[in-house]
Amino acid sequence: NYVVHEYGESDSIVNYSDAYYSTIHFPVLGIESVDREIRAWAEETDGAALATAEEHAATTKAEGRNYSASLEYSYSAYLVKNRFVAVEEMGFFDESGPEGAREPVKTFNVDLATGELLAAEQLFYVNKRKAVVAQPSARLQSTAAALGLADRLAVAAFAASWTANVLLRPDGV
C-alpha cells in the first residue's frame, strides 16, 4: 500500500505470540481526545484479532493441526484544506484457519478547528445525505440479488451501514 503522512506523528502496537503476530501503525495527531480514540481502536482491533487467533489455535491444536495469523495495518493521514485530517487505516489479516485473508479498512475524519472526530453523516450536505446513502446501498443490494448471494441479510446490513468508513480526501469524499 502507498501511504501518505501529511499530518501527525506515527505510533505502533506490536504483538507476538506463538500463533499470532500484529503490527498496527496509527497516527498521533496532537489532539488528546482524538488520539485516545484512535489508540483505543488500535488496541481493540489487536485484542479482538488476538482472541480470534488464540481460539482458532486451540481448536486446530486439538485437531492436530497448526494455526497462525497475522494482522498488519498501515495508514495514510491527509491534510485537507488546512482544516481537516483524514486518516485511512488499511489492514491485512491473514490466517491459516477458516476465514483466510481479509483486508479491513477503518477511517477517521478530524476537524482541526474543533478538535473533534466527524461522523460520516457530517461529511455530506444535509439536503443530500439521504440520496448519498441510498444510491450505493441500493446498488449493493441489487448486485447481491443478481449474483444470487446466499447471505443477503449480511449484504443488506453492509449496504445499510456502508457510510461507517467514508473518508474525506483532498479530491472529495
Side-chain angles (χ1 to χ4, degrees):
N1 288 341
Y2 176 72
V3 297
V4 175
H5 292 177
E6 294 180 343
Y7 196 89
E9 302 294 322
S10 292
D11 199 356
S12 301
I13 293 175
V14 177
N15 199 345
Y16 179 80
S17 72
D18 289 340
Y20 176 73
Y21 171 79
S22 69
T23 305
I24 301 176
H25 302 286
F26 55 93
V28 176
L29 304 176
I31 302 169
E32 190 175 324
S33 61
V34 172
D35 291 342
R36 222 179 8 256
E37 187 149 343
I38 293 173
R39 176 173 276 286
W41 164 82
E43 290 171 350
E44 289 169 14
T45 299
D46 188 47
L50 174 60
T52 297
E54 287 177 344
E55 180 182 321
H56 289 177
T59 301
T60 57
K61 185 176 182 180
E63 296 168 353
R65 296 181 292 127
N66 289 329
Y67 172 87
S68 64
S70 64
L71 174 66
E72 297 180 39
Y73 269 94
S74 59
Y75 74 91
S76 288
Y78 303 93
L79 181 60
V80 181
K81 297 187 179 193
N82 290 320
R83 173 161 178 190
F84 303 99
V85 174
V87 176
E88 179 181 23
E89 288 282 352
M90 300 152 290
F92 184 76
F93 182 70
D94 190 21
E95 65 174 332
S96 60
E99 299 296 326
R102 290 170 292 219
E103 296 184 20
V105 174
K106 174 66 177 163
T107 62
F108 301 92
N109 296 286
V110 182
D111 185 337
L112 294 173
T114 64
E116 295 179 353
L117 281 171
L118 299 172
E121 297 79 32
Q122 292 174 279
L123 300 176
F124 304 111
Y125 291 114
V126 173
N127 62 341
K128 300 287 185 186
R129 285 183 194 156
K130 194 172 190 176
V132 167
V133 170
Q135 185 179 18
S137 295
R139 173 108 180 180
L140 284 168
Q141 289 174 352
S142 68
T143 301
L147 294 174
L149 295 178
D151 196 354
R152 286 194 181 99
L153 291 177
V155 172
F158 173 76
S161 65
W162 73 271
T163 58
N165 280 318
V166 171
L167 183 68
L168 184 63
R169 295 199 38 167
D171 56 352
V173 177

